[in-house]
Structures are given as structure tokens and as C-alpha cells.
Amino acid sequence: MAVHTSQSVVKAAGGNTARGRSRGTGTPPPAPGRIRRGLSTHWYAWTMVAPVVVVIGVIIGYPLVRGIYLSMTDATERNVARTIGVNEMPATYKFVGADNYIEALTGSQFLGTLGWTLVWTVSCVSITFALGMGLANILNRRIAGRSAYRMALILPWAIPGFVSVFAWRFLYNEERGLLNSLLGGVGVDGIPWLNDPTWAKFAVIAVNVWLGVPFMMVALLGGLQSIPSEQYEAAEMDGATAWQRFRHITLPGLRPVSTTVILLSTIWTFNMFPVIFLLTRGGPGEATQILVTQAYKFSFEINPRDFAQSSTWGVLILVLLMLFAVIYRRVLRTQGENW
């Protein structure tokens, strides 16, 4: 009995030693085991998430895969599968590999449109952030009628985007628009806001800034209100000027919020279809055409409709935004931000 007991103790000690070595070496358990344990532990959470994952996969995943496939073909309106009356026409488009990407990246149309898209995005995001920061700082102070000012400044965000764009289009009307009427009242000739390439670019940027300032202001105002007021009081007692307080307290305190809103604003502006399409339709000529509106034009406006080129531009837009997000995240990490 004693011998048997001592052997059991030795075996148990050996097993514990082996497990200790496994833990000491830091060797993780096999992946299937971790997955099985995670599913058994969090099965309820996975059950709740599964329908959402399936819906997103169908709504986003299938169009994405289909778009990538079409971008590697020569699919147009004339060679895709279609039904004419009772006759069904089979698809006759062919696989062309990366030819569409090479044509887009080496052609002048994509690069020219990309250049204006970058100017449009940087201009809108920069002006929107600057105005949002200024208004947020003003509304963060105790001023009379602060609530009314907040409601008035949020109003452009509450109105549907297409309604705002149509209102601005009326204001920009060269003959009966309010802006030219005001200019005529002081003896200044009317400006072809939407008919001149240069003025049209200023016009679309102004409208997009007007639409984007409320979001930026609200987000930055929330960030300002999270900064402890004691820091400002201590800095003021130490003799810091308003600019020094803004530079050393406000900007660092807003960094977590500002990094996020700049990323979101960049993505939204880069793909801002309604403002360009409803205000100028990319005109005059192609002056205000951005990448997303040009991709739409390939699929719905030219004859024959070029689905392959449209898909190619769409995939390139996705790749560009993904590259921007990755680079942006790495830059933040090098600056010590956990994002």
C-alpha cells in the first residue's frame, strides 16, 4: 500500500512538473483547443453575434468579392448576362487579369481625378477641423445663449444631406441665386459659381465644410469637456498665456478624440458622393469629379456602361483608404498613441 501510494505521488509530481515546464516555456495550447474553449465559454455571445456577421457577410462580402472579380474582366453592358423580352443572353465577357488596374494606374484620367480628390479631401478635412475646433472652444465657455448657439450650429447636421445640397444649389444659381443677388446689390458682377471650373471647386468645398462642421464641433466639444478644469486653473496661476494653455493642455487633451474624427472625416470626405453628384455632377466638364463619382459614371452614365472599369476604380478606392488607415495608425503608434 505504501509503495503504491509513493508511486502515485511520484506520477502526480511528474505531471505537475511537466505542466510547469509547459507554462514556463510559454507554449500556448493548440489553436483548436483555444477556439473550442472560447466557443464553449462564450457560446451565448457568439450566438448573438452570428446573425449580424451573416448579414454583413451577405450585404458587404458578396458585392466586394463580385466587384473584385468584375474588375479582372472586360464586362460591359453589352457582354454581361441579360434578358431581352423572352430571350436570355448569356455572359460573354472574358477574364483579363490585371489589365484594368494597369490601364487605370498608368492612364491620365485616374491620376488626374485622384489628384483633385486628394486636394478636395485635405481641404475639406483641414477647414472643417479648424472651424470645429474654434466653435467648440467658444461653446465650451460660459456665454449667454450657449444652448441656442449649439442648436443652431447642429442644424446643418440634422437636415438631410440632399436637402442641404439642393438649398446650396439654389443659392449658387447664377441668375436668380441669393449670393449673386447680394453681390449685385453692392455693384459686383455675378459669379458663375457652378459653371466655372475654379469657382465650382470652391463651391463644393464650401458646401461640404458646412455639412461637416457640426459633427466635428460636437465631437471636439465632448473632448474639451473631458479635460479637467483644474489643469487650466493651475496653468493660469503659473502665468501661462491663452495660447500656451491651448498648446500644452487643450491639444494634448483632445488628441484621442481628434485622431478618430480626422480619420472618419477623411474616409467620409474621400467618398462624399452626394455633394459632388447633386451639386455639379462632376462638372463643369470633369473639373469636380472625384474617384467615387467617376466610378458611378462608368456604371450608369456612359454608353456602353463599363462595369469592369467601375469595379476597378472601386477596388482602388478601397485599397487607398485601407493604406491610409494603416499608415495613419502606424504614425499614431510612433507618437505613443494607443489606437
Side-chain angles (χ1 to χ4, degrees):
M1 178 67 70
V3 173
H4 180 72
T5 303
S6 62
Q7 291 176 348
S8 300
V9 171
V10 170
K11 289 180 180 180
N16 291 333
T17 303
R19 286 192 294 272
R21 288 198 199 100
S22 177
R23 286 193 295 268
T25 58
T27 303
R34 293 200 306 270
I35 296 174
R36 191 181 303 110
R37 186 167 59 253
L39 290 175
S40 62
T41 304
H42 306 290
W43 65 269
Y44 184 78
W46 285 107
T47 304
M48 295 294 101
V49 171
V52 178
V53 174
V54 172
V55 171
I56 292 177
V58 173
I59 295 177
I60 299 178
Y62 172 75
L64 177 61
V65 173
R66 178 68 174 172
I68 295 174
Y69 170 71
L70 287 177
S71 69
M72 294 184 288
T73 68
D74 61 350
T76 66
E77 185 180 14
R78 295 176 179 173
N79 58 20
V80 296
R82 57 199 183 280
T83 301
I84 302 177
V86 296
N87 299 319
E88 294 186 1
M89 309 291 290
T92 58
Y93 56 82
K94 300 176 182 179
F95 185 81
V96 297
D99 289 354
N100 292 326
Y101 293 98
I102 295 174
E103 180 183 352
L105 294 174
T106 57
S108 60
Q109 185 179 24
F110 180 83
L111 296 179
T113 307
L114 175 61
W116 158 240
T117 304
L118 293 177
V119 172
W120 146 267
T121 303
V122 173
S123 301
C124 290
V125 174
S126 302
I127 298 173
T128 302
F129 182 80
L131 292 177
M133 175 73 76
L135 292 172
N137 274 281
I138 293 173
L139 294 179
N140 193 43
R141 302 175 181 178
R142 294 181 179 179
I143 57 176
R146 182 171 60 175
S147 299
Y149 291 138
R150 288 181 180 180
M151 292 298 298
L153 292 171
I154 293 175
L155 187 61
W157 198 14
I159 300 174
F162 72 93
V163 175
S164 299
V165 174
F166 282 133
W168 275 98
R169 189 170 182 176
F170 174 75
L171 294 176
Y172 283 140
N173 188 280
E174 188 173 355
E175 297 178 358
R176 298 179 298 275
L178 179 61
L179 296 180
N180 280 348
S181 298
L182 294 175
L183 292 176
V186 295
V188 179
D189 293 336
I191 296 175
W193 297 102
L194 304 180
N195 296 322
D196 179 79
T198 302
W199 282 112
K201 291 179 179 180
F202 283 111
V204 294
I205 289 175
V207 173
N208 195 65
V209 168
W210 188 79
L211 292 172
V213 164
F215 165 75
M216 195 71 70
M217 180 195 68
V218 170
L220 294 177
L221 181 59
L224 286 173
Q225 292 177 346
S226 67
I227 300 175
S229 59
E230 291 81 5
Q231 296 183 11
Y232 291 102
E233 295 173 358
E236 191 172 357
M237 291 178 64
D238 291 339
T241 63
W243 167 247
Q244 290 174 330
R245 294 196 298 270
F246 177 78
R247 180 182 176 185
H248 297 289
I249 298 177
T250 303
L251 288 181
L254 285 178
R255 187 172 296 171
V257 177
S258 60
T259 52
T260 302
V261 296
I262 288 175
L263 176 62
L264 293 176
S265 182
T266 300
I267 295 174
W268 292 339
T269 305
F270 198 87
N271 287 325
M272 182 54 70
F273 178 84
V275 171
I276 300 295
F277 182 77
L278 296 176
L279 199 61
T280 64
R281 298 187 73 89
E286 302 288 333
T288 59
Q289 201 81 267
I290 60 175
L291 293 178
V292 66
T293 56
Q294 183 62 50
Y296 171 87
K297 185 176 181 179
F298 281 133
S299 280
F300 296 100
E301 293 186 357
I302 67 172
N303 187 26
R305 294 182 291 174
D306 195 338
F307 303 127
Q309 281 294 330
S310 178
S311 300
T312 302
W313 283 50
V315 173
L316 290 174
I317 291 170
L318 176 62
V319 172
L320 289 171
L321 289 175
M322 291 177 64
L323 286 175
F324 169 76
V326 171
I327 295 172
Y328 187 73
R329 184 179 181 184
R330 288 189 176 182
V331 170
L332 293 179
R333 285 190 171 183
T334 58
Q335 296 176 353
E337 291 290 336
N338 294 323
W339 181 84

